[in-house]
Amino acid sequence: MIRYLALLIVVSVCPVAFAEAGDFPACIDALKIRAREAGLNDTVINDVLAKVNFNPRVIELDRRQPELTDTFHDYLNKRVTAQRVEQGRNLMARHGAFLDELTAKYGIPPQYLIALWGLETNYGAYTGNTSVLDSLATLACDERRSEFFTLELFEALWLVQNDVIGQAQMQGSWAGAMGNMQFMPSTYRQHAIDADGDGRADMWNSLHDTFTSVARFLDALGWERGYRWGREVKLPKNFPYARASSSNWQPLSAWRDLGVTTTAGKPLPDSSLSAAILLPSGRHGPAFAVYHNYTVIMRWNQSQFYALAAGHLADRISGGGKLAVQPPDYPPLRKELVMALQTRLNELGFDAGKVDGVLGPLTRAAIQAYQDANGLIADGYPDGETLASIGVGAGAVEVTAQ
């Protein structure tokens, strides 16, 4: 999860990132220097940082995150299941009185707190058993996101140094997230709160601490009271697909004027509420009108798939039904094909960003721009026609009308 960094670290030189385990000790030596400059004391540097271990499994998992490799069909169906919906409804009822108190104080409806809990740890069933310090040190010494994880490592060391979390308890995910809600160390320091009055903010064992901390965090991220995250919508046959983008926000009334309706075919509200239209599976999949609170969930986890899954799971937990249009079961695109696609788009003057084999927002925007400029349906999805037009992987993706 991407978090706000609370630790104010003033240093002029970034640590050297090392890709191999054999270089790990040299990286830790460089991190010790930075840690001291950041204000961490010698005890935590010598007794904790000096004793972290390289974890090659962390690097492997970093390279194949489901948000980066799964299709929307696979991602959603693995996470929004009938069992998870039923369990979420039961848990929301069980903790209803306290959740309602939090809604009154922070404005976050209970179904969102429960949905995030379900997505993060399957309602606390698995909070992770990997050393957070080992994970963060390994990622700090890896070239892909060294600076981010260096700062999170220092936040974790600060939590140990100040006895906020015991070193033995600091177990979590491969990426360093902890507790029932998988807070990164910076978020734990900034937003975890002792709500049950036992003297410690414990997001492993106290649901009062957990729910209060999450409600407080979402409120700090800018949750807009009285509004939902978004909704599934139905697009007209003549919809201008080039306008479906996370960067194109229009009043609901404007989308209504274009013929966008509810899934039941009723007009959208004639409202000034700002919304964007998203097509995570292209024109043959579900369409969503997302609102400001969707962007708040995106600040929790910067994945479109995650934010849509969280919103949909919350809707299901609060009594909503399945999507009216199910995401098509397309095969995932091979990394090599996506890299070739990114390379070709960049060559043609459509900025697909770094050639990394990840079909992220920038690549999708480049595909959409290419489609719009070349008379194709500009839904941002790399179907077979689009790939053939661009000149890569012709016939690699079969798309049939739904």
Side-chain angles (χ1 to χ4, degrees), residues 86 133 142 200 215 234 334 348:
E86 181 180 4
L133 293 165
D142 177 61
R200 183 180 294 271
K234 184 178 180 180
R334 292 178 292 106
L348 293 171

Side-chain angles (χ1 to χ4, degrees), residues 380-391:
Y381 193 84
D383 59 14
E385 182 181 10
T386 298
L387 293 174
S389 176
I390 293 173

Side-chain angles (χ1 to χ4, degrees), residues 13 39-40 84 134 163 179 181 278 306 376:
V13 181
L40 295 166
R84 186 165 284 173
D134 287 352
D163 195 32
M181 290 294 192
L278 301 182
Y306 181 97
L376 302 172

Side-chain angles (χ1 to χ4, degrees), residues 343-365:
T343 299
R344 185 60 180 148
L345 285 167
N346 286 334
E347 290 173 349
L348 293 171
F350 298 92
D351 183 13
K354 181 181 178 181
V355 178
D356 57 6
V358 176
L359 195 63
L362 195 57
T363 301
R364 289 286 293 263

Side-chain angles (χ1 to χ4, degrees), residues 80-107:
V80 184
T81 64
Q83 184 275 334
R84 186 165 284 173
V85 169
E86 181 180 4
Q87 187 176 359
R89 290 173 178 172
N90 291 336
L91 288 167
M92 189 168 71
R94 182 185 308 170
H95 301 288
F98 182 66
L99 293 171
D100 287 344
E101 290 178 15
L102 293 178
T103 301
K105 183 173 183 179
Y106 295 104

Side-chain angles (χ1 to χ4, degrees), residues 39-160:
L40 295 166
N41 65 34
D42 287 342
T43 299
V44 78
I45 291 171
N46 296 327
D47 293 347
V48 181
L49 178 57
K51 297 177 182 179
V52 295
N53 298 301
F54 180 81
N55 188 339
R57 176 68 172 161
V58 167
I59 301 299
E60 177 186 343
L61 291 170
D62 179 67
R63 299 302 190 265
R64 57 181 180 88
Q65 298 176 54
E67 290 89 349
L68 306 180
T69 58
D70 281 356
T71 64
F72 184 58
H73 170 278
D74 292 346
Y75 188 91
L76 190 71
N77 287 322
K78 288 176 184 176
R79 288 160 181 80
V80 184
T81 64
Q83 184 275 334
R84 186 165 284 173
V85 169
E86 181 180 4
Q87 187 176 359
R89 290 173 178 172
N90 291 336
L91 288 167
M92 189 168 71
R94 182 185 308 170
H95 301 288
F98 182 66
L99 293 171
D100 287 344
E101 290 178 15
L102 293 178
T103 301
K105 183 173 183 179
Y106 295 104
I108 318 298
Q111 64 265 29
Y112 292 99
L113 302 180
I114 297 294
L116 291 170
W117 188 25
L119 289 183
E120 291 295 341
T121 62
N122 196 22
Y123 307 117
Y126 184 73
T127 59
N129 59 6
T130 302
S131 165
V132 166
L133 293 165
D134 287 352
S135 293
L136 293 174
T138 298
L139 291 166
C141 291
D142 177 61
E143 60 185 356
R144 196 175 80 85
R145 297 182 65 200
S146 175
E147 184 66 10
F148 172 79
F149 285 108
T150 295
L151 296 178
E152 288 293 349
L153 173 62
F154 291 170
E155 291 281 4
L157 292 169
W158 186 94
L159 293 171
V160 173

Side-chain angles (χ1 to χ4, degrees), residues 162-166 169 188 192-203 206 208-209:
N162 291 276
D163 195 32
V164 177
I165 304 173
Q169 188 179 21
Y188 206 105
I193 190 169
D194 173 23
D196 59 15
D198 68 353
R200 183 180 294 271
D202 183 355
M203 294 187 66
S206 170
H208 273 54
D209 290 1

Side-chain angles (χ1 to χ4, degrees), residues 215-269:
R216 185 171 181 249
F217 181 46
L218 290 172
D219 181 48
L221 290 177
W223 190 272
E224 193 169 0
R225 292 175 181 243
Y227 291 96
R228 57 192 297 183
W229 68 277
R231 67 172 76 198
E232 185 185 7
V233 294
K234 184 178 180 180
L235 306 182
K237 291 183 178 180
N238 62 344
F239 181 75
Y241 284 96
R243 299 191 189 184
S245 167
S246 59
S247 62
N248 181 30
W249 291 79
Q250 301 291 332
L252 269 183
S253 57
W255 296 118
R256 171 190 170 112
D257 291 344
L258 286 173
V260 180
T261 67
T262 68
T263 55
K266 296 181 179 179
L268 291 178

